[in-house]
Amino acid sequence: MLHITIDNDSFLFSQTDWYYSSGIYAKYATLIDQDDVFLNLFPKKERKVIRFYGLTHQVYTPMLFNSPLVSLYDRPHAALLQLDYGLSYASANDVLRLQGSLGWMGSALGTGPMLVWFHDFLDYRTPRGWEYEIGNAPVIQLKANWYRTIISDRWMDWTLTSQGEIGTIHVNSSIGSELRIGRLLGLDNSMLFDQFTGIPDEKGLLELFFIIGGDIHYSFYNATIEGSFLGGDSPHVEKPSSWVRTGHFGAGLGGNQLDAMIMINYRSPSTTEADRHKYVSIKLNYRL
């Protein structure tokens, strides 16, 4: 399976381009032998085991991203690029995903100059202040996600979600839920958490659902805001908000070979000086 998710607030056509300004997530996933003794964490239960490789790029900016005055910034500029590797263990009602990531955060990536060129090429407002970007630092992250369907029938399900992450950039945890209504597949075959691998024999529409959900997120440490303990000095840092609330709603469409989902996301302030934020996520899966 080939997967791509693009997050961007400019998809709202509201002239916004700040805070969590851009996220690109590309992934290749393949089904592996669940009886492999080195991978089978659930020897007494039949599970679908998926191995995935990914690439992640994220960009963060303050609200007044085109102002040259650092005194007006309510969030530091930051960008990171990382390679991801992980395993996903799924049954019809739950998914456990383990992921490790290595990469880099900071000006060495050249994100600032690239964004200046891109905005000028589109004749959009020029981003400024990238000379105040969070300092260079390595990205070393471990993350675990667990999803568990509590209520399920043919046309509706309700799933609890949880996450824990630790590393040089983020240390956090969250808990939330997802409510889906429509034509649904179980978690081990659904596009919702990217568990569908291989081309099924069934043709036509396999999933069609509306979704609403959210979570409560506690951040112990966020280097994109306060700077990394492994990196050099950062010319501009802010105080991160400990508690962040998120919400989203959207729709998903799953076919024999291609899946698509779109969601509008809302997020409470990530720093004590910032405002709330909204952006759009577009997700595509192509089964090989």
Side-chain angles (χ1 to χ4, degrees):
M1 179 186 71
L2 299 177
H3 163 88
I4 187 167
T5 294
I6 301 175
D7 296 337
N8 206 298
D9 49 7
S10 64
F11 292 154
L12 294 167
F13 302 105
S14 57
Q15 297 298 308
T16 59
D17 193 14
W18 52 70
Y19 296 152
Y20 174 46
S21 176
S22 173
I24 300 175
Y25 307 84
K27 183 167 59 179
Y28 169 72
T30 183
L31 187 67
I32 60 177
D33 188 353
Q34 65 178 349
D35 294 326
D36 190 326
V37 67
F38 298 106
L39 302 173
N40 193 354
L41 297 183
F42 305 92
K44 296 182 180 181
K45 298 181 179 180
E46 185 175 349
R47 297 265 172 161
K48 172 187 284 188
V49 183
I50 294 174
R51 176 190 289 128
F52 62 88
Y53 308 87
L55 179 70
T56 296
H57 183 252
Q58 296 173 336
V59 177
Y60 302 90
T61 63
M63 178 179 286
L64 298 178
F65 69 92
N66 63 328
S67 170
L69 301 177
V70 67
S71 60
L72 299 180
Y73 296 159
D74 54 1
R75 196 218 190 281
H77 295 72
L80 62 85
L81 180 70
Q82 66 187 43
L83 297 174
D84 308 314
Y85 172 82
L87 297 169
S88 179
Y89 304 83
S91 70
N93 292 316
D94 69 298
V95 176
L96 174 65
R97 180 181 297 151
L98 307 175
Q99 176 180 306
S101 302
L102 296 174
W104 196 258
M105 178 183 71
S107 59
L109 298 176
T111 301
M114 181 272 291
L115 289 176
V116 170
W117 173 87
F118 185 69
H119 279 233
D120 290 345
F121 177 77
L122 296 178
D123 195 26
Y124 191 50
R125 290 178 293 175
T126 300
R128 295 183 172 87
W130 278 94
E131 64 270 26
Y132 302 108
E133 183 178 359
I134 286 288
N136 287 291
V139 176
I140 307 170
Q141 292 290 130
L142 295 174
K143 181 165 65 173
N145 296 80
W146 184 59
Y147 313 108
R148 174 71 177 180
T149 297
I150 303 300
I151 300 174
S152 177
D153 64 27
R154 184 177 178 184
W155 299 104
M156 186 272 289
D157 65 15
W158 180 54
T159 300
L160 294 181
T161 66
S162 60
Q163 174 186 293
E165 187 172 10
I166 186 169
T168 61
I169 305 300
H170 297 288
V171 179
N172 58 56
S173 62
S174 67
I175 187 169
S177 66
E178 304 280 0
L179 175 66
R180 293 191 300 165
I181 299 174
R183 182 175 182 177
L184 310 174
L185 294 173
L187 294 191
D188 56 344
N189 284 313
S190 177
M191 65 166 293
L192 179 61
F193 301 121
D194 310 322
Q195 294 302 304
F196 212 150
T197 57
I199 301 175
D201 295 331
E202 183 180 354
K203 304 294 183 181
L205 182 67
L206 302 181
E207 279 194 294
L208 175 61
F209 57 81
F210 297 95
I211 184 170
I212 184 169
D215 63 31
I216 299 176
H217 178 103
Y218 187 82
S219 177
F220 298 91
Y221 166 73
N222 187 338
T224 71
I225 295 173
E226 56 189 302
S228 173
F229 65 91
L230 289 181
D233 293 336
S234 297
H236 174 222
V237 297
E238 292 285 345
K239 183 178 179 181
S241 299
S242 295
W243 293 98
V244 177
R245 300 176 304 279
T246 73
H248 55 258
F249 67 91
L253 177 67
N256 175 263
Q257 196 165 12
L258 182 66
D259 304 325
M261 187 162 70
I262 185 169
M263 287 198 298
I264 298 178
N265 304 272
Y266 297 86
R267 179 179 291 180
S268 67
S270 58
T271 79
T272 56
E273 301 296 323
D275 202 350
R276 58 184 179 272
H277 184 49
K278 59 182 180 292
Y279 61 94
V280 173
S281 297
I282 297 174
K283 180 168 79 171
L284 298 172
N285 292 330
Y286 183 77
R287 289 185 285 280
L288 302 173

